[in-house]
Amino acid sequence: MSARMRTRHFAQAKAEGRKISCLTSYDALTAAIFDEAGIDLLLVGDSAANVVLGQASTLSITTDEMLSMSRAVAGAVERAFVVADLPFGTYEEGPAQALATAVRFMKETGVHGVKLEGGVEVADTIRTLVDAGIPVVGHIGFTPQSEHTLGGYVVQGRGGAAEKLRADARAVAEAGAFAVVLEMVPADVAAQVTAELDIVTIGIGAGNATDGQVLVWTDAFGLGRGKTPSFVRRYADLGSVLLDAARAYKADVEDASFPAESESF
């Protein structure tokens, strides 16, 4: 196992043109597997509200729920850099509220950094966290915590809106974030932002010119049963494997072939 990923390693990867791999993770089992696979950054995303807790949006997840999952992921890895999402409602009041929330995550879970959504409007907040010694990942473009304001899952940064997105990216970088997620952004705009910024860009639905990529792991590996976003590539169909296994288990229980003599005391 390689040495722990640090913020300087992400900067070095960008300088050398090496792509950065990121996945979400919400539990110790997947975190350990993804860490063994060499994934560079694991995001304990508030997407857990959807894929773990079955909620319609990310807005409902609580700090306590995120703390529990963050602790599990951070405790299971040896190399990966673990970042936790700050939940909706825990940083919008401003730098003081955000710092209090971020300190809880750093002290109580062992994560290595936090992520928050927004651009120009959260620059002061990012700066406060960075000044306190907390690594920060920004998140611009489509920001799920603002889905109602944005009118749903809509691509951001098209046409005249591209300049606002670039301004948001610059603000996040200048505030001291070491990376920024670009979600559902036109590929050419994401490429421009990546070229303009000294910090790492991590794309999700933003083309392949970004410095890295992140996907929700249940989308990428086919565990979810709903519609998969168009920007996702499925690398496995774990949902079907698990369904077949559960059906086989049910059948073996019903015909009393499980447990067998070798599986009994």
Side-chain angles (χ1 to χ4, degrees):
M1 182 66 68
S2 302
R4 170 82 69 194
M5 288 292 293
R6 307 287 185 184
T7 56
R8 69 178 185 273
H9 296 136
F10 293 103
Q12 184 178 3
K14 181 181 178 87
E16 297 175 355
R18 289 184 286 108
K19 296 291 188 177
I20 295 161
S21 58
C22 315
L23 284 171
T24 66
S25 180
Y26 317 103
D27 62 88
L29 293 176
T30 58
I33 291 170
F34 299 158
D35 190 47
E36 184 177 350
I39 302 300
D40 299 312
L41 187 151
L42 295 182
L43 172 65
V44 188
D46 57 4
S47 50
N50 311 116
V51 300
V52 177
L53 303 178
Q55 302 301 302
S57 77
T58 64
L59 302 179
S60 63
I61 201 160
T62 67
T63 297
D64 286 342
E65 288 166 340
M66 286 293 297
L67 287 170
S68 179
M69 287 182 273
S70 298
R71 186 180 304 111
V73 172
V77 304
E78 296 180 11
R79 174 184 176 274
F81 194 95
V82 179
V83 173
D85 266 334
L86 298 187
F88 175 71
T90 69
Y91 61 93
E92 287 83 353
E93 290 179 11
Q97 184 197 30
L99 181 59
T101 304
V103 165
R104 285 199 66 189
F105 275 89
M106 300 299 289
K107 288 175 67 71
E108 297 178 27
T109 73
V111 299
H112 312 118
V114 300
K115 180 170 79 65
L116 68 163
E117 297 180 2
V120 172
E121 71 276 12
V122 297
D124 287 344
T125 295
I126 292 173
R127 189 171 292 107
T128 295
L129 300 188
V130 173
D131 287 347
I134 300 173
V136 174
V137 176
H139 186 152
I140 62 174
F142 176 74
T143 47
Q145 292 177 7
S146 302
E147 64 169 290
H148 299 304
T149 302
L150 297 174
Y153 284 71
V154 180
V155 173
Q156 303 295 307
R158 282 182 168 151
E163 182 49 44
K164 180 186 182 306
L165 188 134
R166 293 170 65 187
D168 283 336
R170 289 192 296 269
V172 167
E174 290 168 3
F178 77 91
V180 60
V181 171
L182 308 178
E183 181 166 0
M184 292 178 63
V185 171
D188 60 334
V189 177
Q192 291 172 359
V193 170
T194 300
E196 290 173 0
L197 297 188
D198 291 331
I199 69 170
V200 164
T201 60
I202 299 171
I204 177 167
N208 65 5
T210 53
D211 298 310
Q213 299 290 333
V214 63
L215 284 175
V216 173
W217 86 261
T218 51
D219 290 340
F221 304 141
L223 189 62
R225 311 304 288 166
K227 182 180 179 181
T228 301
S230 61
F231 55 77
V232 171
R233 180 180 296 179
R234 278 205 168 185
Y235 288 86
D237 188 5
L238 298 186
S240 294
V241 172
L242 188 58
L243 179 61
D244 290 345
R247 285 172 171 163
Y249 169 72
K250 179 178 185 293
D252 288 352
V253 169
E254 290 177 345
D255 67 14
S257 64
F258 175 81
E261 183 177 349
S262 62
E263 296 156 331
S264 304
F265 295 102

